[in-house]
Amino acid sequence: MASDRPLLISSPETPRAVEDLPTIPIYIDLAKSGSENPKLASAMDLHNPLGNSANTEPTLNSYFQRSNSSIKSRASRGNSVREVSFDNSGSKPPRHGSRGGESDGFSMSQRELSDEDARLIYINDPGKTNERYEFAGNTIRTGKYSILTFLPRNLFEQFHRLAYIYFLVIAILNQLPQLAVFGRTASILPLAFVLLVTAIKDAYEDWRRHRSDRVENNRTALVLGDEGFHEKEWKNIRVGEIIKISANDTLPCDIVLLSTSDPTGVAYVQTINLDGESNLKTRYARQETISRMSQNERMSGLIKSEKPNRNIYGFQANMEIDGKRLSLGPSNIVLRGCEIKNTAWAIGVAVYCGRETKAMLNSSGAPSKRSRLESHMNTETIYLSGFLVSLCTIVSVLAAVWLRRHRHELDYLPFYRRKSYVDEGDPKNYKYYGWGWEIVFTFLMSVIVFQIMIPISLYISMELVRIGQAYFMIQDNKLYDEASHSRFQCRALNINEDLGQVKYVFSDKTGTLTENKMEFQCASIWGVDYSGGTTCIPGDGFSAQVDGQVWRPKMKVKVDPKLERLSKIGKQTEEGKHIHDFFLALAACNTIVPMVVETPDPDVRLIDYQGESPDEQALVYAAAAYGFMLLERTSGHIVIDIHGERQRFDVLGLHEFDSDRKRMSVILGCPDNTVKVFVKGADTSMFSVIDKLSNMNIIRATEGHLHNFSSLGLRTLVVGMRDLNSSEFDQWKLAFENASTTLIGRAALLRKIASRIENNLTVLGASGIEDKLQQGVPEAIESLRMAGIKVWLLTGDKQETAISIGYSSKLLTGNMTQIIISNKSKESCKKSLEDAIVSSNKLMTQSGVAQNTEGTSGTARTPVALIIDGTSLVYILDGELEEQLFQLARGCSVVLCCRVAPLQKAGIVALIKKRTEDMTLAIGDGANDVSMIQMADVGIGISGQEGRQAVMASDFAMGQFRFLVPLLLVHGHWNYQRMGYMILYNFYRNAVLVFVLFWYILYTCYTATSAISDWSSVLYSVVYTSVPTIVVAILDKDLSSRTLLKHPPLYGSGQREECYNQKLFWITMVDTVWQSAVIFFVPLLAYWGSTIDGPGIGDLWTLGVVISVNIHLAMDVMRWTWITHAAIWGSIVATVICIFIIDAIPTLPTYWAIFNMMGTGLFWLCLLGIIVGTVLPRFVVKVLYQYFFPSDIQIAREAEKFGYSRELGGGGGGGGMQIEMNPILEPQQRLNR
């Protein structure tokens, strides 16, 4: 059969092909490992057949929370090839996650909620419901501001940035007469402009939210009144009112169903607006309320429910009606935002409204993250602040010395003149406050003059650049998923550049590496393997005759001819009976809803099996292919066509899957008047409830088949059953009814009751479902590995399945040595880790690799793969053993964690984040990946088959795992290179102007005056130099996408922080000092002794600075476009025009200064000298450095430019260029260098 699955073809990388490789055993214990730690997974509440004997058909709770681990199989004992196994089970199994029936919650379950603790809702009596205390109205408000609160709240939020507070203080100081350096209006403009732009953006976004709120609140719904149902606006709906919803309508609030158009009370609900899942779910009304509403009676009663909470998968309440107490659970409530489908109408009572609805309580977004570059930028900002303080201190100290030396001349110096002789009598001091205060004022005035050392425009420039980068990522067709017609989503604009520095990728398996489109492949029934090998052929498709029409399953399934033939025998033989029971279990033990779909042929209908779990859908389609076709499901029975004979089975009870039991069961009343319980679940939970006193041969054979299935990468689960006698059923029913009416601890009670009936089972068999790899996954992982990125697989699957997927995805290779850790106690985990570290170090030492498997030493290295299970992680992630795991894992090429719970996934990510500076990325598609996605530096959600929980919690979202390669290697590289350069350039361009002002102060008796006009100082960062920076940071490309994808090691430049680091920062500052000196001293020396005034030479300095920094930028542009040309050269032209306008205003002190200067040849000679003096040294150094110390990027650019890209890296030709990429080093090795 393996040959029929091209994505799992046996190859040199599969285990079977390397069976002759050596195995390095340390010590092995063949005892079975325990189940994963259920404490770390969320528990589901279980509910409810009808709690009263008045109705013979109990209400079926068909809400089923899909969990991948529900079909995971038990880890087998076989040793992998070339592995070091650490499996100790000598100690007691872990107690973690034992909060089942024996938990504290169970001990509380007998307590009733008091009136003070419960939410009392009087049905159809909103006045009495809200009499005691007012419940929230149904008005929603997602806007942040109102007209009155916008200004203070928005300013408060903006001033969370310390830089804004800094500039506010500067503006306030400049308003003081003693410190006024610039014009008072001009000093406020930069900060006011940034605040205004941000406020306009925030106001627009909030206006859109308010507009959406108005539309939502003014929608109408049918509400029951004195004269029947009438329309009422959503915002006026109150808790306790009865509401009628029609087909395809959206629910205005959370309601408990009372009646539906279906006689059995079922309603089909689509929750795509809530969790993104498009599959239909079933919700049910209680039979007692159905009869009351159908008779048009005035409905009354009391609902005692839990307080509002965010759990969209849980609900606990009781309903008292006609003296009866009925239990209510998740299957009885429909949440706001859901849509009614395939149901003419539904009636319910409002229990949560407005901000108390579960949808609104879950409306908060993902936690905010800050990029690594921005964090580093804050460090450099502190350095610049130190520069600023140093410059101001130098000026104030020199001013103090000058004042002391000239204290006797201050009254007469024409440019200082301390005394004022305007008034008659003794002259008084004119703005002179004494030597000490003059020093203080000089320091503060210097701060005002040098304020732009901290670039306020950098923040808004970064936001604009990130928006531009996000646009190009969204529009990239390489990130467009044709299957789902979905484009790349950029949900967090503030970490675009982090995509270029990723070192670790933590990936889920199901739905992330695989398609999550399950296909039934094989089965083991009563100890017989029906995998069939290559004999599996596509079935003709089983069909059933219903009311003169032919009903066929919508999806065809490959069938095994032998098994298909045996399934038709029925229960005439022992073998046929077991096959019959097996497929009956697959068709009945689920929550699938059959939906009939019309076809062009009026005599043919297709059955579309709707359900929340792709695994269940695959099993039901498989049962239909073998002649067990599920035709109908209601709240109390199901109808199955068994090889042409329609049979009705009463659903007497249902225990849904939960993370503690890891199985589900259904109790059926069969046509032969027998009662049977069918159970399916993970092998780790199923074999613990199988009757081992009989049929041990069957159990052993099934275990062997499970191992074979999982070794092929198939998802497995075990099916069992047993008959119930009348006394057992009556005991179960009584206990279930009592448990269903409790509010506190109901889930624990129901788990305990389920565990009592799910025992002494007869194993029927096991199934194997294939979840194929997504297109391009092996190639993507190989590219990521070549880029120096370590890929860790975190999955809930069993070990064999995970290893098989690891080989087929090229995550594991044949030359890797596997270290397997599987333990059941803290002590054994500790010893296993110690032995594994010794073994790993020995392997690396023997291969010439010491402490870093990613390094190169000239000798063949032996890569190591660590495989660890969730049970071991329970003890390791406790804290004491984390460091040992980190030391072991960091030296491994691959880490594969199997049987892990959602919070354990987050714990693994935190393990790396806390101990390294490396960038982490987590990618997943399901709700169980949310914790991992939010913990990582970068979180990516796959918009796949498991809803949108992962997408809604992510920073970025896309359709396929393979898109990770262009996202990181292309856009991530570009974003990091552009943003790193833009930050350094912004520091440089502002520092140049500051140092020019500093040199000027040294030649003006340290008086903190400025030769550059106030308006030019304001416009410098806004008009003169801002646009080119933004344009280059959005459009520039150091390499083409083709080159970056062809040579993944080029991605290492981001990991090595080549584009932004402290070395580059200090080099830039040195260059800044030199350029500022040239700009200042060339005109100063040229005009020394002339009669030129301050505004004139100030305009020359302004033009010199603007032209120099723009030519500096032009030298570093790598990919020119017409927009880039327009931005850079247009910026210079705009500067000249602005200076012309400023100097043409008669009221300004700079009047006509530039026109007088430009009329002389010396002016143009000075400009030429400034350009040559600032640009030439940098150009020479850059050429020499690139010639003698070229980087990978520079070599690739040169090869790309001259057409040698196909030979880059020694592609294979005899005369090709042999280029060795720089090694990607760990942080410690970077420091050692």
Side-chain angles (χ1 to χ4, degrees):
M1 178 161 178
S3 61
D4 289 335
R5 291 176 285 106
L7 292 179
L8 295 174
I9 296 177
S10 179
S11 69
E13 296 176 335
T14 59
R16 291 179 179 172
V18 291
E19 289 181 352
D20 56 335
L21 295 177
T23 302
I24 310 176
I26 303 299
Y27 55 90
I28 301 174
D29 192 325
L30 297 180
K32 303 287 185 183
S33 62
S35 63
E36 70 184 44
N37 176 15
K39 176 182 177 181
L40 300 179
S42 60
M44 277 297 301
D45 295 331
L46 308 175
H47 306 280
N48 73 339
L50 182 64
N52 287 277
S53 58
N55 193 329
T56 58
E57 288 189 355
T59 301
L60 172 64
N61 170 17
S62 69
Y63 179 80
F64 181 79
Q65 182 188 16
R66 180 189 41 71
S67 171
N68 294 335
S69 58
S70 66
I71 49 80
K72 307 300 188 291
S73 60
R74 187 176 187 177
S76 300
R77 296 193 279 260
N79 296 322
S80 296
V81 178
R82 193 181 178 87
E83 69 184 28
V84 184
S85 179
F86 304 98
D87 184 353
N88 294 294
S89 57
S91 59
K92 295 180 180 180
R95 295 185 298 108
H96 300 274
S98 60
R99 292 185 181 179
E102 308 299 331
S103 66
D104 294 338
F106 173 65
S107 64
M108 297 171 58
S109 64
Q110 302 302 329
R111 286 171 32 197
E112 293 293 333
L113 278 181
S114 64
D115 289 349
E116 289 75 18
D117 297 329
R119 183 181 178 95
L120 302 180
I121 301 159
Y122 294 91
I123 301 175
N124 201 26
D125 193 348
K128 188 175 182 180
T129 299
N130 293 271
E131 180 181 19
R132 183 173 171 185
Y133 48 84
E134 192 76 19
F135 292 129
N138 203 39
T139 300
I140 64 165
R141 179 182 174 184
T142 59
K144 294 172 59 177
Y145 312 106
S146 66
I147 296 178
L148 296 178
T149 63
F150 173 76
L151 186 60
R153 184 173 179 180
N154 185 261
L155 289 176
F156 176 78
E157 292 177 352
Q158 290 199 58
F159 277 104
H160 274 70
R161 283 181 168 171
L162 295 180
Y164 288 5
I165 298 178
Y166 162 79
F167 284 103
L168 178 63
V169 172
I170 296 295
I172 293 173
L173 291 176
N174 197 71
Q175 304 307 307
L176 301 177
Q178 298 88 346
L179 303 176
V181 177
F182 302 114
R184 294 180 178 179
T185 303
S187 64
I188 298 176
L189 283 180
L191 178 61
F193 175 77
V194 173
L195 293 176
L196 179 63
V197 170
T198 306
I200 291 174
K201 176 183 72 70
D202 293 342
Y204 175 71
E205 291 177 352
D206 203 58
W207 174 78
R208 293 180 61 186
R209 284 192 287 264
H210 280 288
R211 184 180 62 178
S212 176
D213 290 345
R214 283 195 299 271
V215 173
E216 191 80 357
N217 291 327
N218 291 328
R219 297 174 68 177
T220 59
L222 294 176
V223 177
L224 184 62
D226 295 335
E227 300 179 358
F229 288 100
H230 63 278
E231 287 192 350
K232 192 174 186 178
E233 291 182 340
W234 281 18
K235 62 184 178 184
N236 297 323
I237 293 175
R238 295 192 295 167
V239 174
E241 290 186 316
I242 294 179
I243 303 169
K244 184 175 183 179
I245 307 297
S246 301
N248 301 318
D249 282 350
T250 302
L251 269 76
C253 56
D254 297 350
I255 68 171
V256 167
L257 283 179
L258 300 177
S259 180
T260 71
S261 57
D262 188 286
T264 62
V266 65
Y268 300 105
V269 177
Q270 189 177 68
T271 61
I272 191 168
N273 294 330
L274 191 65
D275 56 15
E277 297 185 8
S278 58
N279 290 332
L280 297 184
K281 286 85 172 175
T282 50
R283 298 292 183 268
Y284 296 90
R286 298 303 302 242
Q287 294 294 327
E288 291 81 359
T289 61
I290 294 174
S291 60
R292 292 287 298 273
M293 294 302 296
S294 62
Q295 297 170 15
N296 296 320
E297 296 183 18
R298 296 293 298 176
M299 185 76 179
S300 63
L302 174 65
I303 295 178
K304 185 185 294 186
S305 73
E306 60 187 357
K307 295 294 180 67
N309 58 73
R310 299 176 61 185
N311 183 11
I312 63 175
Y313 301 113
F315 174 69
Q316 290 190 359
N318 286 333
M319 180 190 295
E320 296 179 4
I321 182 172
D322 295 335
K324 299 177 182 178
R325 174 183 291 177
L326 312 176
S327 65
L328 300 175
S331 63
N332 306 119
I333 188 172
V334 188
L335 305 183
R336 179 187 179 116
C338 298
E339 294 183 8
I340 299 295
K341 298 289 185 180
N342 297 344
T343 305
W345 52 263
I347 298 175
V349 56
V351 289
Y352 302 120
C353 288
R355 64 177 182 273
E356 293 180 342
T357 58
K358 293 181 182 292
M360 294 302 297
L361 291 174
N362 281 276
S363 63
S364 59
S368 178
K369 299 177 182 179
R370 192 199 306 184
S371 74
R372 183 72 53 85
L373 268 183
E374 192 168 346
S375 300
H376 290 338
M377 185 186 76
N378 289 338
T379 303
E380 273 70 58
T381 302
I382 294 174
Y383 292 154
L384 291 176
S385 301
F387 262 129
L388 178 64
V389 173
S390 300
L391 295 178
C392 296
T393 302
I394 292 172
V395 171
S396 59
V397 169
L398 292 176
V401 173
W402 187 88
L403 287 172
R404 180 62 64 183
R405 286 183 177 180
H406 298 83
R407 60 183 179 274
H408 301 300
E409 307 170 25
L410 296 180
D411 292 344
Y412 312 107
L413 288 175
F415 54 84
Y416 196 91
R417 205 169 70 174
R418 179 173 54 184
K419 296 294 184 180
S420 173
Y421 296 94
V422 175
D423 299 328
E424 296 181 359
D426 294 335
K428 298 179 180 179
N429 289 338
Y430 176 73
K431 293 186 178 181
Y432 183 83
Y433 304 95
W435 183 75
W437 280 109
E438 285 296 312
I439 297 173
V440 173
F441 289 152
T442 301
F443 180 87
L444 295 177
M445 292 169 68
S446 301
V447 172
I448 297 173
V449 173
F450 302 149
Q451 60 177 296
I452 62 170
M453 177 68 83
I454 311 297
I456 188 174
S457 61
L458 177 57
Y459 291 98
I460 196 168
S461 297
M462 291 175 67
E463 296 299 327
L464 294 174
V465 167
R466 285 167 174 161
I467 291 173
Q469 293 173 347
Y471 172 80
F472 286 109
M473 287 192 289
I474 293 170
Q475 295 299 318
D476 189 354
N477 289 329
K478 292 187 178 68
L479 303 179
Y480 177 75
D481 183 23
E482 294 183 357
S484 60
H485 303 288
S486 60
R487 288 197 174 273
F488 179 82
Q489 299 179 42
C490 188
R491 299 173 54 85
L493 289 175
N494 52 341
I495 57 172
N496 291 352
E497 56 271 21
D498 282 352
L499 294 171
Q501 295 182 279
V502 173
K503 180 67 176 178
Y504 288 89
V505 169
F506 301 90
S507 175
D508 178 42
K509 182 187 77 70
T510 304
T512 304
L513 297 182
T514 60
E515 294 180 348
N516 200 22
K517 294 180 179 178
M518 309 304 172
E519 182 177 335
F520 183 86
Q521 291 292 332
C522 52
S524 168
I525 304 176
W526 200 245
V528 179
D529 183 359
Y530 291 100
S531 60
T534 58
T535 62
C536 286
I537 58 174
D540 296 329
F542 180 80
S543 61
Q545 295 289 332
V546 180
D547 297 332
Q549 295 178 332
V550 178
W551 288 17
R552 292 195 180 99
K554 183 178 180 180
M555 186 178 73
K556 291 186 177 181
V557 178
K558 294 180 180 179
V559 297
D560 180 271
K562 178 181 177 182
L563 182 58
E564 183 184 30
R565 184 175 64 255
L566 293 173
S567 68
K568 297 177 180 179
I569 297 177
K571 296 187 285 185
Q572 300 175 4
T573 64
E574 185 71 15
E575 185 179 29
K577 179 181 182 300
H578 296 308
I579 293 175
H580 176 278
D581 290 340
F582 178 83
F583 284 113
L584 177 60
L586 296 190
C589 189
N590 54 70
T591 56
I592 293 295
V593 178
M595 309 299 298
V596 180
V597 181
E598 294 183 354
T599 66
D601 187 347
D603 296 329
V604 178
R605 295 289 186 270
L606 297 180
I607 300 182
D608 182 10
Y609 291 121
Q610 291 279 341
E612 299 176 57
S613 168
D615 304 280
E616 284 195 335
Q617 288 175 302
L619 294 176
V620 176
Y621 275 116
Y626 284 96
F628 293 73
M629 182 182 293
L630 177 64
L631 299 179
E632 179 184 348
R633 179 183 296 278
T634 70
S635 59
H637 71 270
I638 57 176
V639 176
I640 302 176
D641 185 293
I642 302 178
H643 291 291
E645 180 184 355
R646 296 180 64 183
Q647 298 186 18
R648 169 181 167 138
F649 297 84
D650 293 328
V651 180
L652 305 178
L654 178 71
H655 288 283
E656 298 183 7
F657 172 86
D658 70 81
S659 58
D660 287 350
R661 291 165 37 250
K662 296 184 177 64
R663 56 182 179 265
M664 74 166 294
S665 59
V666 61
I667 302 173
L668 295 183
C670 301
D672 58 1
N673 294 325
T674 60
V675 178
K676 297 180 180 180
V677 55
F678 292 92
V679 188
K680 70 176 182 182
D683 58 344
T684 51
S685 66
M686 286 296 293
F687 281 115
S688 63
V689 295
I690 294 294
D691 183 8
K692 295 183 174 58
L693 298 180
S694 60
N695 300 321
M696 280 304 299
N697 293 333
I698 302 298
I699 295 174
R700 292 194 184 98
T702 303
E703 286 180 322
H705 298 156
L706 282 170
H707 175 66
N708 295 336
F709 295 168
S710 59
S711 297
L712 294 173
L714 303 181
R715 298 158 62 90
T716 59
L717 86 165
V718 177
V719 180
M721 65 156 288
R722 77 180 178 98
D723 293 326
L724 293 181
N725 56 43
S726 59
S727 62
E728 286 179 314
F729 176 73
D730 291 340
Q731 291 176 7
W732 168 83
K733 183 177 181 181
L734 179 62
F736 190 92
E737 290 173 353
N738 292 332
S740 298
T741 56
T742 61
L743 282 180
I744 299 179
R746 181 191 298 179
L749 267 176
L750 292 173
R751 281 196 296 270
K752 187 176 181 69
I753 294 168
S755 299
R756 290 174 181 171
I757 202 170
E758 295 168 350
N759 58 51
N760 298 322
L761 302 177
T762 298
V763 61
L764 291 176
S767 64
I769 301 174
E770 182 179 16
D771 186 10
K772 293 183 178 180
L773 284 176
Q774 293 180 10
Q775 177 186 354
V777 166
E779 295 81 3
I781 290 179
E782 185 67 19
S783 295
L784 295 176
R785 195 197 306 277
M786 292 175 63
I789 299 174
K790 294 185 177 181
V791 182
W792 290 23
L793 180 63
L794 312 180
T795 177
D797 278 328
K798 63 182 295 185
Q799 179 178 307
E800 287 81 5
T801 303
I803 290 176
S804 177
I805 292 295
Y807 276 107
S808 60
S809 65
K810 292 187 179 180
L811 193 61
L812 299 175
T813 58
N815 65 333
M816 285 184 179
T817 298
Q818 296 177 10
I819 296 179
I820 300 177
I821 296 180
S822 178
N823 304 102
K824 293 184 179 180
S825 70
K826 190 172 185 177
E827 294 73 19
S828 58
C829 280
K830 182 177 181 181
K831 187 171 188 344
S832 295
L833 285 173
E834 292 172 350
D835 294 340
I837 291 173
V838 172
S839 175
S840 176
N841 290 338
K842 184 183 298 183
L843 288 169
M844 289 188 291
T845 302
Q846 290 173 351
S847 62
V849 181
Q851 298 183 4
N852 179 26
T853 59
E854 295 297 327
T856 56
S857 60
T859 60
R861 67 183 183 89
T862 301
V864 178
L866 172 63
I867 301 169
I868 187 169
D869 66 359
T871 307
S872 302
L873 289 174
V874 169
Y875 306 104
I876 293 174
L877 296 179
D878 247 358
E880 298 179 11
L881 302 179
E882 281 189 359
E883 184 61 32
Q884 289 176 278
L885 176 61
F886 171 72
Q887 293 299 332
L888 174 61
R890 71 178 305 193
C892 297
S893 300
V894 174
V895 176
L896 198 157
C897 302
C898 48
R899 294 293 197 190
V900 290
L903 290 182
Q904 287 178 320
K905 293 183 178 183
I908 292 294
V909 177
L911 179 76
I912 299 300
K913 282 189 66 176
K914 289 190 296 186
R915 289 170 172 79
T916 70
E917 293 296 324
D918 295 323
M919 190 72 66
T920 58
L921 181 150
I923 180 171
D925 73 317
N928 59 336
D929 302 315
V930 168
S931 299
M932 171 180 71
I933 287 172
Q934 294 185 342
M935 175 61 68
D937 296 303
V938 179
I940 296 182
I942 298 291
S943 50
Q945 305 293 316
E946 294 197 27
R948 293 180 55 84
Q949 295 96 324
V951 171
M952 291 186 290
S954 65
D955 306 306
F956 305 96
M958 56 190 186
Q960 297 281 326
F961 179 86
R962 59 189 168 92
F963 296 161
L964 201 59
V965 174
L967 177 64
L968 297 184
L969 271 57
V970 178
H971 290 285
H973 173 84
W974 285 343
N975 293 345
Y976 168 74
Q977 179 268 328
R978 295 162 174 168
M979 190 65 73
Y981 179 80
M982 190 192 76
I983 294 173
L984 284 175
Y985 178 79
N986 272 266
F987 288 155
Y988 149 78
R989 75 172 190 195
N990 283 31
V992 167
L993 183 60
V994 167
F995 276 110
V996 168
L997 298 175
F998 174 73
W999 302 128
Y1000 180 77
I1001 288 177
L1002 296 184
Y1003 282 85
T1004 55
C1005 298
Y1006 323 107
T1007 54
T1009 57
S1010 174
I1012 297 177
S1013 67
D1014 298 350
W1015 286 104
S1016 289
S1017 298
V1018 171
L1019 297 176
Y1020 178 75
S1021 297
V1022 178
V1023 176
Y1024 295 175
T1025 58
S1026 61
V1027 175
T1029 315
I1030 296 172
V1031 169
V1032 170
I1034 294 177
L1035 299 180
D1036 198 29
K1037 299 177 182 178
D1038 56 350
L1039 290 169
S1040 67
S1041 60
R1042 179 174 176 271
T1043 300
L1044 291 171
L1045 290 174
K1046 187 175 182 180
H1047 307 288
L1050 294 172
Y1051 183 79
S1053 64
Q1055 296 170 332
R1056 293 188 294 268
E1057 299 181 346
E1058 291 182 358
C1059 296
Y1060 186 88
N1061 52 57
Q1062 288 195 13
K1063 179 181 177 181
L1064 284 176
F1065 173 78
W1066 291 114
I1067 291 175
T1068 302
M1069 288 300 104
V1070 172
D1071 188 28
T1072 297
V1073 174
W1074 163 257
Q1075 292 192 32
S1076 67
V1078 171
I1079 294 170
F1080 177 79
F1081 286 104
V1082 167
L1084 180 70
L1085 296 177
Y1087 285 98
W1088 191 266
S1090 69
T1091 58
I1092 188 174
D1093 58 359
I1097 197 170
D1099 286 341
L1100 177 55
W1101 281 327
T1102 301
L1103 286 174
V1105 170
V1106 172
I1107 294 174
S1108 296
V1109 298
N1110 277 285
I1111 292 179
H1112 176 110
L1113 178 63
M1115 284 177 54
D1116 293 332
V1117 173
M1118 304 173 200
R1119 194 68 56 93
W1120 284 92
T1121 65
W1122 70 267
I1123 300 177
T1124 310
H1125 280 290
I1128 293 178
W1129 312 124
S1131 178
I1132 297 175
V1133 173
T1135 302
V1136 174
I1137 294 174
C1138 288
I1139 292 177
F1140 283 174
I1141 294 174
I1142 293 170
D1143 286 5
I1145 301 175
T1147 57
L1148 296 179
T1150 59
Y1151 179 66
W1152 220 250
I1154 186 64
F1155 302 104
N1156 294 331
M1157 292 285 293
M1158 294 177 64
T1160 64
L1162 186 59
F1163 172 84
W1164 302 104
L1165 187 62
C1166 286
L1167 271 184
L1168 180 61
I1170 288 173
I1171 296 172
V1172 174
T1174 55
V1175 173
L1176 186 60
R1178 174 179 174 81
F1179 177 77
V1180 172
V1181 172
K1182 189 173 183 179
V1183 169
L1184 292 177
Y1185 185 82
Q1186 292 186 6
Y1187 184 82
F1188 291 104
F1189 307 100
S1191 66
D1192 294 343
I1193 301 298
Q1194 291 159 358
I1195 295 172
R1197 283 183 59 206
E1198 195 171 322
E1200 187 178 76
K1201 181 177 180 180
F1202 294 103
Y1204 300 139
S1205 58
R1206 61 191 179 95
E1207 300 175 356
L1208 181 61
M1217 297 171 60
Q1218 297 293 329
I1219 304 300
E1220 181 179 354
M1221 296 293 180
N1222 290 322
I1224 300 171
L1225 304 177
E1226 299 290 344
Q1228 290 182 351
Q1229 291 176 289
R1230 293 187 205 136
L1231 295 176
N1232 293 337
R1233 294 184 84 189

